[in-house]
């Protein structure tokens, strides 16, 4: 009798365990995997890439910089919208200047024949300082300027 109780318990545990496997597998399907890379190079210029500016100009609304690698490849390193950085105590421009050697970790993508690094972490190799742009999940600027309390939005022309 004692043996049959243990056997029934073992069968119950096995059935519950097997039933849980598809649930855990289904949950794993929803997890996004990130393909992070690192590149090193020299910051050549800060650039802006928003609807109000040409990507090659508009330095005051910088949300990216151009990075030249040792082999001469140019990569646009995007670190988020200018309006987000205007609300932060420490910004990318506090850590990085044109001419600095940097290491950038993030997601490399191709956009319109341009290699783009969507930065997660930028380390200034000249000073040893670094800044975390984002971690897994949504970037800190998700939801836009109004959700972050940046008002009035859009900024008026008078403020420029």
């Amino acid at each position: 009798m004692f043996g049959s109780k243990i056997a029934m318990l073992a069968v119950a545990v096995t059935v519950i365990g097997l039933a849980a496997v598809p649930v855990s597998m289904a949950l794993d399907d929803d997890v996004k995997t990130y393909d992070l890379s690192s590149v090193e190079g020299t910051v050549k210029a800060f650039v802006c890439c928003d609807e109000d500016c040409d990507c090659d100009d508009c330095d005051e609304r910088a949300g990216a910089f151009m990075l030249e690698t040792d082999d001469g490849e140019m990569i646009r390193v995007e670190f988020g919208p200018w309006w987000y950085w205007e609300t932060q105590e420490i910004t990318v421009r506090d850590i990085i200047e044109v001419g600095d050697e940097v290491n950038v970790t993030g997601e490399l993508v191709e956009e319109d024949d341009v290699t783009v690094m969507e930065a997660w972490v930028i380390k200034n190799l000249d000073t040893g300082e670094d800044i975390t742009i984002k971690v897994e999940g949504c970037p800190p600027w998700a939801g836009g300027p109004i959700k972050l309390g940046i008002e009035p939005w859009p900024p008026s022309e008078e403020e420029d």
Side-chain angles (χ1 to χ4, degrees):
M1 183 145 148
F2 183 69
S4 65
K5 287 183 181 178
I6 292 176
M8 290 299 288
L9 179 61
V11 169
V13 168
T14 302
V15 169
I16 291 171
L18 290 175
V21 170
V23 172
S24 67
M25 290 172 69
L27 292 175
D28 288 343
D29 289 343
D30 293 338
V31 175
K32 181 176 182 197
T33 57
Y34 298 97
D35 187 18
L36 299 181
S37 303
S38 290
V39 295
E40 289 188 8
T42 304
V43 176
K44 291 300 185 179
F46 281 90
V47 295
C48 173
C49 295
D50 68 23
E51 62 277 357
D52 296 329
C53 298
D54 180 356
C55 201
D56 296 328
D57 196 11
C58 203
D59 184 49
E60 70 274 3
R61 290 187 170 182
F65 59 78
M66 297 306 297
L67 179 74
E68 184 176 14
T69 65
D70 290 340
D71 63 0
E73 181 183 8
M74 293 300 287
I75 298 173
R76 186 173 70 226
V77 176
E78 295 181 351
F79 51 82
W82 62 271
W83 47 262
Y84 169 75
W85 291 106
E86 285 190 355
T87 66
Q88 303 304 299
E89 289 183 32
I90 302 290
T91 70
V92 172
R93 294 184 101 162
D94 293 331
I95 306 296
I96 308 297
E97 295 180 6
V98 172
D100 286 345
E101 294 289 319
V102 298
N103 178 294
V104 183
T105 300
E107 296 176 87
L108 272 173
V109 296
E110 289 292 324
E111 292 181 4
D112 302 324
D113 298 326
V114 176
T115 303
V116 176
M117 170 70 81
E118 296 170 356
W120 285 41
V121 176
I122 303 172
K123 180 169 185 161
N124 186 325
L125 299 175
D126 293 335
T127 66
E129 295 178 285
D130 62 22
I131 187 166
T132 299
I133 308 301
K134 78 177 280 291
V135 293
E136 288 186 29
C138 293
W141 51 85
I146 294 174
K147 184 172 181 177
L148 292 175
I150 303 171
E151 294 189 42
W153 188 261
S156 73
E157 296 294 315
E158 297 169 9
E159 294 178 13
D160 290 336

